[in-house]
């Protein structure tokens, strides 16, 4: 480690700023009595940064521990949906069999993550997962059978599409009764690792579909709204009517005319 007597305060501050949790105690020992404010401030910032890092590690490890407590040590499949409240596009369900190691650091409820971070984590999940399954229910089927039935169909299909026989199935939300080993967890996407993984994979998959639909139906702003009833989307529905991917049963408050496409 460089000699403190030969280093400027700026250089020491930079060294402290890049220190890992393992390196910081030695740096603190060396520079604890340094009278320069820049060094003292750098030590204080480093402590705050490492405290945040430790809290984040504890949060993620807590999600894995919650998965183990509810699902056990076998193959645990997490299930979550995206698009239930949209007025256009499919309902998408993902099922992810997530192992306990390696840990996917940063995993969280997909709604708490930026699009770029979701895509990064989805790629890691796809690489690490024991298996993943995806199911999409198209708008016309949602209109035909209703959302509750569509959700059950999609969850059954997504679990089947993993290609594995789970020892436990952990599903976000209220009971849906789609698997004999099902356990339901309200807000599970924020508390259970495999459910959070499913929420991320489902969100990334469905968002990509909606961006693709935006190229076909640019007037509806699907790339931005992802099929939800944003102000611009509702205005477009009123101006242009419904497309082939709108859920007619969800759009009664916006338009009375039939589909235009």
């Amino acid at each position: 480690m460089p000699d403190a007597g030969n280093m400027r305060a700026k250089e020491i501050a930079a060294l402290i700023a890049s220190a890992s949790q393992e390196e910081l105690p030695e740096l603190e020992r060396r520079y604890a009595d340094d009278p320069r404010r820049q060094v003292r401030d750098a030590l204080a910032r480093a402590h705050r940064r490492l405290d945040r890092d430790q809290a984040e590690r504890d949060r993620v490890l807590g999600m894995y521990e919650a998965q183990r407590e509810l699902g056990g040590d076998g193959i645990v499949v997490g299930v979550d949906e995206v698009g239930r409240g949209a007025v256009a596009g499919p309902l998408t369900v993902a099922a992810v069999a997530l192992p306990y190691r390696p840990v996917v650091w940063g995993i969280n409820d997909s709604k708490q993550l930026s699009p770029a971070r979701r895509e990064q984590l989805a790629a890691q999940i796809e690489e690490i997962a024991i298996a993943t399954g995806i199911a999409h229910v198209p708008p016309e089927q949602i209109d035909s059978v209703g959302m509750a039935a569509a959700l059950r169909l999609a969850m059954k299909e997504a679990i089947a599409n993993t290609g594995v026989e789970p020892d436990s199935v952990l599903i976000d939300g209220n009971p849906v009764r789609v698997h004999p080993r099902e356990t339901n967890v309200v807000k599970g996407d924020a508390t259970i690792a495999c459910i959070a993984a499913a929420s991320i994979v489902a969100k990334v998959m469905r968002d990509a579909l909606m961006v693709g639909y935006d190229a076909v139906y640019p007037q509806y702003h699907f790339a931005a709204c992802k099929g939800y009833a944003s102000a611009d989307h509702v205005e477009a529905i009123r101006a242009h009517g419904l497309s082939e991917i709108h859920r007619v049963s969800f759009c009664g408050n916006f338009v009375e005319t039939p589909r235009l496409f």
Side-chain angles (χ1 to χ4, degrees):
M1 188 171 289
D3 184 1
N6 296 326
M7 296 183 69
R8 295 178 298 172
K10 182 178 180 180
E11 294 170 333
I12 296 171
L15 188 64
I16 293 168
S18 62
S20 68
Q21 193 159 12
E22 292 74 25
E23 294 168 336
L24 184 59
E26 172 62 16
L27 290 170
E28 184 174 35
R29 184 189 66 78
R30 290 177 65 90
Y31 301 120
D33 296 327
D34 194 304
R36 292 170 289 186
R37 181 170 181 175
Q38 191 171 7
V39 175
R40 296 199 308 271
D41 288 349
L43 285 170
R45 286 194 299 271
H47 273 297
R48 292 194 293 272
R49 171 174 59 84
L50 294 180
D51 285 347
R52 289 193 299 270
D53 290 348
Q54 186 60 53
E56 171 63 8
R57 288 179 64 84
D58 291 345
R59 182 191 67 78
V60 172
L61 291 176
M63 296 179 77
Y64 277 88
E65 183 57 30
Q67 175 179 318
R68 190 185 299 276
E69 288 177 0
L70 287 176
D73 292 320
I75 297 176
V76 184
V77 171
V79 181
D80 200 12
E81 57 76 25
V82 176
R84 188 187 307 197
V87 300
L91 171 72
T92 297
V93 171
V96 177
L98 193 69
Y100 291 103
R101 290 290 183 274
V103 171
V104 182
W105 297 109
I107 200 167
N108 204 346
D109 171 9
S110 64
K111 296 184 291 296
Q112 302 301 317
L113 302 167
S114 69
R117 187 60 174 143
R118 282 196 297 264
E119 291 188 6
Q120 292 171 353
L121 288 170
Q124 292 179 38
I125 292 163
E126 291 283 357
E127 181 177 345
I128 289 170
I130 297 167
T132 60
I134 298 290
H136 304 287
V137 181
E140 61 271 19
Q141 189 172 5
I142 295 171
D143 286 332
S144 175
V145 303
M147 179 53 70
L151 185 62
R152 287 193 296 272
L153 289 169
M155 287 187 170
K156 285 183 179 180
E157 183 179 343
I159 294 167
N161 286 344
T162 63
V164 299
E165 183 56 43
D167 297 295
S168 179
V169 175
L170 305 182
I171 299 178
D172 185 53
N174 297 313
V176 287
R177 299 177 181 86
V178 296
H179 194 277
R181 299 188 181 96
E182 169 186 329
T183 298
N184 298 89
V185 187
V186 175
K187 297 185 179 178
D189 51 4
T191 57
I192 308 293
C194 59
I195 299 179
S199 80
I200 292 166
V201 171
K203 177 66 172 167
V204 169
M205 292 289 291
R206 187 179 184 279
D207 280 2
L209 287 176
M210 297 311 297
V211 170
Y213 283 131
D214 186 78
V216 181
Y217 308 108
Q219 64 270 46
Y220 295 103
H221 316 287
F222 288 142
C225 73
K226 305 302 187 294
Y228 289 87
S230 68
D232 286 344
H233 186 190
V234 171
E235 182 179 351
I237 291 172
R238 288 173 172 155
H240 302 289
L242 302 179
S243 73
E244 289 182 343
I245 68 162
H246 278 96
R247 305 172 186 175
V248 176
S249 59
F250 282 49
C251 296
N253 292 332
F254 311 137
V255 65
E256 297 180 358
T257 57
R259 299 183 192 275
L260 296 186
F261 298 94

